[in-house]
Amino acid sequence: MADYPTETHRFASFDGQEIAWTEMGEGRPVVLIHGYFSTAEVNWIKYGHAAKLAARGRRVIMPDLRAHGHSAKPHDPTAYPPDVLMRDNFALIAHLGLTDYDLGGYSLGARTVVRMLANGAAPDKVVLSGMGLDGLVATKGRGAYFHRVLTNLGSFQRGSSEWLTEAFLKTTKGDPVALLRILDTFVDTPRDEIAAIAQPTAVISGAEDYDNGSAKEVADLLPYGLFVEIPGNHMSAVTRPELGDALVEFLAG
């Protein structure tokens, strides 16, 4: 596969905090939002997913969420109002002047996409990956797990789920204080608002991924939902070539 160059840019979001985004390729834009503790680089670039889309003539726009990657990581609680990630991504779309685009996300990125759709975002196609129904309608459940990890770092048994989560945090050089603040920004999306999403939507999930409940239940709730199962669990599915293949088939097929 061709080695597509990337370019990282920054802009001031709605409250002046600096948000970074990385681009790859040229053509019709698709915005892809990474998951919690992750980055644009790890989620979309490292395993070749963005390059596959770029090879099919897409401009791939990949923000680093607030408190992640190259974006600002403030510790001030006032920098984390409810739905702040949704607002940052609306600000990015406005900054880039996007009107004809697709929108996708993995895990927290998928939840952010749903919040955007529930508040008026109008992409043509949508991808929700690594996210089940529980993680959309009852965000505090999964948030409690991450709160426990972030407030008890260094105390988990080797090989446990919490230990693996902490290990991932170290690989992405995450800021525990800023990431803890993000948990306060989660907003539930009612089932009826999810069911009102009118765009064709691919719901892509690892066969062993139930970290946020059932992804198939999300697809079944959507009027134009397509459920796509790929190998892996919540952490490993994002590393699989099948994720990039599914993105390409749905978005550029």
Side-chain angles (χ1 to χ4, degrees):
M1 186 179 296
D3 183 18
Y4 286 88
T6 60
E7 200 170 342
T8 299
H9 313 266
R10 291 169 173 82
F11 81 108
S13 191
F14 68 95
D15 61 349
Q17 294 291 342
E18 189 174 78
I19 300 298
W21 83 94
T22 300
E23 291 203 20
M24 180 187 294
E26 296 178 349
R28 190 165 175 276
V30 52
V31 178
L32 296 178
I33 307 174
H34 67 76
Y36 192 47
F37 281 23
S38 193
T39 64
E41 167 68 33
V42 171
N43 216 141
W44 306 117
I45 299 171
K46 182 177 182 179
Y47 300 104
H49 312 317
K52 287 180 179 178
L53 284 166
R56 295 294 294 271
R58 301 303 301 267
R59 173 190 177 192
V60 190
I61 299 163
M62 300 161 282
D64 278 337
L65 293 171
R66 180 177 299 226
H68 296 75
H70 297 294
S71 289
K73 304 175 181 66
H75 289 186
D76 183 350
T78 62
Y80 297 92
D83 265 338
V84 71
L85 303 180
M86 174 192 79
R87 295 178 68 184
D88 284 338
N89 281 281
F90 269 129
L92 174 62
I93 286 168
H95 175 76
L96 294 174
L98 302 182
T99 54
D100 180 21
Y101 66 98
D102 297 324
L103 181 62
Y106 192 91
S107 194
L108 175 57
R111 182 188 294 150
T112 303
V113 168
V114 168
R115 294 304 304 150
M116 294 172 72
L117 294 166
N119 285 274
D124 289 338
K125 288 183 177 180
V126 173
V127 172
L128 305 177
S129 189
M131 180 52 64
L133 188 59
D134 292 349
L136 298 175
V137 301
T139 57
K140 295 233 181 304
R142 189 63 175 156
Y145 168 82
F146 286 109
H147 188 277
R148 186 170 73 252
V149 171
L150 288 166
T151 54
N152 293 279
L153 294 172
S155 70
F156 301 110
Q157 182 178 352
R158 186 178 183 86
S160 67
S161 172
E162 292 86 354
W163 184 88
L164 291 168
T165 299
E166 182 177 349
F168 183 60
L169 172 68
K170 291 175 182 175
T171 67
T172 59
K173 299 180 173 60
D175 181 323
V177 175
L179 290 167
L180 199 57
R181 300 289 188 211
I182 287 289
L183 298 177
D184 297 329
T185 73
F186 294 171
V187 176
D188 297 346
T189 305
R191 292 173 65 100
D192 61 334
E193 293 186 13
I194 299 169
I197 294 171
Q199 287 88 347
T201 303
V203 180
I204 307 170
S205 177
E208 302 161 49
D209 183 2
Y210 289 94
D211 281 20
N212 294 285
S214 169
K216 189 172 187 306
E217 288 183 8
V218 178
D220 290 344
L221 192 57
L222 296 167
Y224 303 103
L226 169 68
F227 180 64
V228 182
E229 190 173 80
I230 62 174
N233 57 31
H234 193 70
M235 293 297 289
S236 65
V238 76
T239 72
R240 301 289 302 229
E242 290 88 349
L243 176 58
D245 294 342
L247 288 168
V248 167
E249 184 172 349
F250 182 71
L251 294 173

